[in-house]
Amino acid sequence: MIDCQSIRKIYASQAGPTEALKGITFSIGTGEFVAIMGQSGSGKSTLMHILGCLDVATSGTYTLDGQDVTEMNENELAQIRSTRIGFVFQAFYLLPRATVLRNVMLPLMYAGVPRQQREPRARAALEKAALPEKFYNYSPNQISGGMMQRVAIARALANDPVMILADEPTGNLDSKTGQMVLETFQSLHRQHGRTIVLITHESDVAAYAARIVRLKDGEIIEDRKTI
Amino acid sequence: MTAIDLAIELGSALTSNKVRTGLTVLGIVIGIGSVIAMVSIGQGGAKSIESSIQGLGSNLLTVSPGALSNARGGVSTGRGMAPLSIDDASAIAGIAGVAAVSPELNRRFQMTSSLGNNTNSNVIGVESGYLTARSLAIDAGTFITSQHNAAFSRVAVLGPTTVKDLFGDADPIGKTIRINRMDFRVIGTTVAKGSSGFFNPDDTAFVPLETMQRILVGADVVSTIAVSVADKTQMADVKAQVTELLASRHRVDPAAPDFSIFSQEDVLGTLNQVTNTFTMFLGSVAGISLVVGGIGIMNMMLMTITERTREIGLRRAIGAKQWQISLQFLAESVALTLLGGILGILLGWLLSLLVTTFAGINTSVTASSVVLGVGMSSSIGIIFGFYPARRAGKLHPIDALRYE
């Protein structure tokens, strides 16, 4: 479902070009739970941006759900992000002005889902993310970090994406709530068959995934199944 | 993203920082408000001048002593120039196409009534032709006749404002008033012409011209000769004939006369030019404050965008297209200025009401100035919101998400 062929990414900086990814080739099948691991500077963030269609590779091909996104422009990439990818970020990025429910409905708005369908879909997503219903009309400021990350997971699920891309989802949480969030991912993977790509630098976070891809200096140095 | 979505996003964005939104809108409110108020003062002035001039009688030529200084529209009453006389007026009356001639002598005098009230008003020495030439009508009693002039009678006809100042609600006819410490008997009153502006025909007293010259002024001159032309199409022709006649009587070159002749159109044209310049001047001063308000909008939008950079990044990450982000911010600035525009129109209307009530200057808030206000405010929103909105749309999602 996800297929990367010799992905290279070169950044131009004042010190000269920096090669962040040096030819990454790997693929992820439907329903897999993969952790991409690496220290900072390993290129995992760059890879996450490319996988998430936030950025394009300098060379190589990236096929997502049968579509070659390598040559797409900004607006086509936005369309892909809107319908195929659900993001979960370390800092949650919830809109403080909107209620929990409206935060989850936001991607549906950009995807052009008719208004009357948005709320039921948002509620279903929140249910899958295991957020108690009493929080639905709360402001994100009024709930705990763990709850906020669940709202973010629900937002990522709302559009029924082919892949959930989580970038250090437990980075801002204490280990206990972090564990709960990771269990939520695990159950989405096991019970709902979601494809999840988890980006992290912590091996005990990566341990929740069924497969670990380890990056170092822009190259894959390890790709193994955990079970 | 539908219009309703846009409206909801707009509402939550604008209400999240009410103080800042309010202050920014205030800039536009003051800008639009002052444009509306200033233009209404200018237009109201133009309207009242126009109506007062039309009220003075159409088909009217006004002859005044002194030459028109070229092109600038001013009148110079240079020394040694022959004043106009009653004989000049009689000669003009002989020209074909002239319906009525009214030589007039105009001075301000202190007037006192038998009730003890006093007023300082315009006293005009007139002949019987005045009514026809100036299209004025008698309300009660009679007007000045040629017998009054022949006998240097001390009689006066009062305008309604003067009646009110001197007698209040009492009937003035038959009573005695003192003009410049001389007794005059009131024989009639004129109807209100109701025109205001630089000359109020209601605030006057009319006396026989001969009486005015001999007794009140002590000079054998007239200050103006009003010539009423029978047919409007003959105006130019009569004007040329009057010029030639007076030039030969005064022994001057008709090309460089020592008198000047205005038609109502001339006066109206000149005054329109003056009021238009005045309105434009007021409007552009107010316009500057509007531009300042617009810069305030731009400043706020840029600040908002910086503040909400991560929000923009998130929206882009979850699928918002560039134009959707730009549209959202453009809608915010247009909404701000439109709100400011509507409040500004109300403020401007209120200001012009206050000006009318307390300063007595006529104002008129027209539909066109309301349209102007709304149009200006929304274009300010588009112009000053365009750059920030474009910048917001161009933000790269990754950079925006990483922004601290």
Side-chain angles (χ1 to χ4, degrees):
Chain A
M1 187 199 63
I2 288 167
D3 187 50
C4 295
Q5 291 296 327
S6 340
I7 296 284
R8 282 157 58 90
K9 181 69 184 178
I10 299 166
Y11 290 112
S13 68
Q14 283 178 330
T18 320
E19 198 170 15
L21 294 177
K22 301 171 179 166
I24 301 278
T25 302
F26 79 120
S27 55
I28 298 170
T30 308
E32 270 198 90
F33 185 3
V34 184
I36 295 176
M37 253 193 84
Q39 298 304 311
S40 54
S42 62
K44 66 179 193 304
S45 290
T46 307
L47 183 59
M48 178 250 165
H49 293 151
I50 290 170
L51 289 179
C53 297
L54 290 166
D55 207 352
V56 287
T58 311
S59 71
T61 54
Y62 170 33
T63 316
L64 173 64
D65 199 24
Q67 256 186 307
D68 186 358
V69 299
T70 324
E71 298 288 315
M72 284 189 174
N73 67 28
E74 264 300 317
N75 282 332
E76 287 167 331
L77 288 176
Q79 185 64 32
I80 292 285
R81 291 197 295 269
S82 158
T83 53
R84 307 287 164 86
I85 300 164
F87 286 97
V88 178
F89 297 99
Q90 178 175 357
F92 325 133
Y93 296 138
L94 300 175
L95 297 189
R97 301 189 304 269
T99 60
V100 162
L101 204 56
R102 248 195 75 206
N103 265 289
V104 179
M105 279 153 54
L106 201 62
L108 298 171
M109 176 178 93
Y110 288 118
V113 174
R115 291 184 61 77
Q116 62 273 19
Q117 290 177 24
R118 291 181 202 164
E119 196 174 324
R121 283 178 67 169
R123 284 179 179 275
L126 281 163
E127 209 171 302
K128 274 184 207 161
L131 190 87
E133 197 172 350
K134 63 169 181 176
F135 295 125
Y136 287 9
N137 284 314
Y138 277 44
S139 153
N141 297 330
Q142 296 168 301
I143 59 179
S144 70
M147 291 298 168
M148 278 160 89
Q149 198 57 298
R150 285 186 186 175
V151 175
I153 293 170
R155 182 179 61 195
L157 285 170
N159 258 339
D160 209 8
V162 296
M163 166 175 64
I164 290 177
L165 203 53
D167 185 15
E168 303 276 8
T170 57
N172 281 15
L173 301 173
D174 59 59
S175 57
K176 199 162 164 261
T177 39
Q179 210 174 320
M180 275 158 63
V181 164
L182 288 168
E183 278 162 10
T184 311
F185 278 117
Q186 222 165 30
S187 85
L188 285 172
H189 164 63
R190 285 181 186 155
Q191 288 165 30
H192 302 278
R194 290 282 165 188
T195 311
I196 299 166
V197 178
L198 183 70
I199 285 99
T200 184
H201 67 276
E202 288 175 89
S203 48
D204 46 342
V205 171
Y208 281 82
R211 176 182 163 196
I212 296 174
V213 175
R214 199 183 293 270
L215 284 186
K216 195 180 181 188
D217 298 329
E219 283 170 308
I220 295 176
I221 54 164
E222 189 189 355
D223 185 349
R224 66 180 169 91
K225 298 244 191 292
T226 53
I227 311 146
Chain B
M1 197 180 190
T2 63
I4 302 169
D5 293 327
L6 200 60
I8 293 170
E9 291 289 335
L10 205 63
S12 90
L14 295 184
T15 48
S16 70
N17 198 334
K18 293 193 187 69
V19 174
R20 193 204 290 168
T21 303
L23 286 173
T24 314
V25 167
L26 189 63
I28 296 294
V29 171
I30 290 171
I32 293 286
S34 45
V35 167
I36 297 281
M38 293 304 166
V39 169
S40 82
I41 289 169
Q43 284 181 340
K47 240 186 203 174
S48 68
I49 287 172
E50 202 168 311
S51 71
S52 73
I53 286 184
Q54 270 157 2
L56 296 178
S58 51
N59 296 5
L60 196 69
L61 293 174
T62 314
V63 186
S64 322
L68 243 181
S69 67
N70 49 347
R72 269 188 280 150
V75 174
S76 76
T77 43
R79 279 167 298 175
M81 286 192 176
L84 297 169
S85 67
I86 295 179
D87 293 341
D88 287 335
S90 319
I92 291 168
I95 293 172
V98 172
V101 174
S102 164
E104 297 154 19
L105 180 56
N106 212 320
R107 251 339 122 79
R108 289 193 85 86
F109 284 115
Q110 194 69 26
M111 289 187 269
T112 323
S113 74
S114 46
L115 300 177
N117 299 333
N118 71 83
T119 176
N120 188 301
S121 293
N122 217 16
V123 178
I124 311 178
V126 297
E127 287 183 348
S128 52
Y130 186 89
L131 286 185
T132 326
R134 298 284 191 181
S135 56
L136 189 68
I138 279 292
D139 184 37
T142 55
F143 197 66
I144 313 288
T145 62
S146 36
Q147 283 79 16
H148 289 135
N149 264 308
F152 308 125
S153 307
R154 291 188 187 187
V155 292
V157 175
L158 304 182
T161 308
T162 319
V163 172
K164 207 154 182 254
D165 288 345
L166 292 177
F167 294 100
D169 293 328
D171 182 14
I173 297 194
K175 301 244 168 59
T176 301
I177 60 166
R178 287 172 76 86
I179 302 176
N180 204 20
R181 289 185 224 96
M182 270 167 273
D183 284 346
F184 281 76
R185 188 166 49 86
V186 179
I187 57 164
T189 56
T190 60
V191 294
K193 281 202 115 175
S195 36
S196 55
F198 61 99
F199 169 68
N200 184 357
D202 295 346
D203 186 19
T204 40
F206 302 98
V207 297
L209 180 58
E210 300 278 357
T211 315
M212 181 83 173
Q213 287 185 337
R214 299 284 157 81
I215 298 168
L216 287 172
V217 177
D220 203 10
V221 295
V222 300
S223 50
T224 36
I225 300 173
V227 180
S228 177
V229 180
D231 188 349
K232 204 161 185 165
T233 56
Q234 292 177 296
M235 291 286 277
D237 186 35
V238 171
K239 189 176 173 180
Q241 287 192 56
V242 171
T243 308
E244 203 168 305
L245 177 77
L246 286 184
S248 79
R249 282 179 59 85
H250 293 191
R251 297 193 182 82
V252 292
D253 181 5
D258 59 352
F259 55 88
S260 40
I261 304 176
F262 292 105
S263 64
Q264 295 298 14
E265 271 81 41
D266 294 340
V267 179
L268 208 60
T270 312
L271 283 170
N272 270 343
Q273 222 174 325
V274 171
T275 50
N276 280 348
T277 312
F278 184 63
T279 307
M280 260 163 66
F281 171 73
L282 287 179
S284 51
V285 168
I288 290 170
S289 71
L290 193 58
V291 170
V292 173
I295 293 169
I297 290 278
M298 186 141 144
N299 196 12
M300 174 190 163
M301 290 314 295
L302 288 174
M303 204 156 65
T304 305
I305 285 159
T306 307
E307 245 182 34
R308 283 157 62 185
T309 300
R310 295 210 291 178
E311 176 193 324
I312 294 166
L314 171 84
R315 286 175 187 272
R316 294 278 285 121
I318 64 171
K321 297 184 174 66
Q322 290 181 330
W323 65 265
Q324 286 172 319
I325 298 290
S326 295
L327 184 67
Q328 187 188 338
F329 284 97
L330 193 61
E332 275 180 37
S333 65
V334 173
L336 284 175
T337 51
L338 208 58
L339 180 70
I342 290 163
L343 294 177
I345 287 167
L346 291 178
L347 177 76
W349 179 68
L350 201 71
L351 278 180
S352 50
L353 270 186
L354 287 177
V355 165
T356 309
T357 316
F358 293 109
I361 299 168
N362 272 338
T363 58
S364 98
V365 179
T366 56
S368 66
S369 60
V370 169
V371 170
L372 180 83
V374 172
M376 265 167 100
S377 59
S378 27
S379 27
I380 288 270
I382 291 169
I383 292 165
F384 288 96
F386 185 79
Y387 168 68
R390 204 179 133 84
R391 212 161 101 158
K394 286 253 183 262
L395 280 176
H396 196 272
I398 298 169
D399 300 334
L401 280 172
R402 277 194 191 144
Y403 184 84
E404 291 299 325

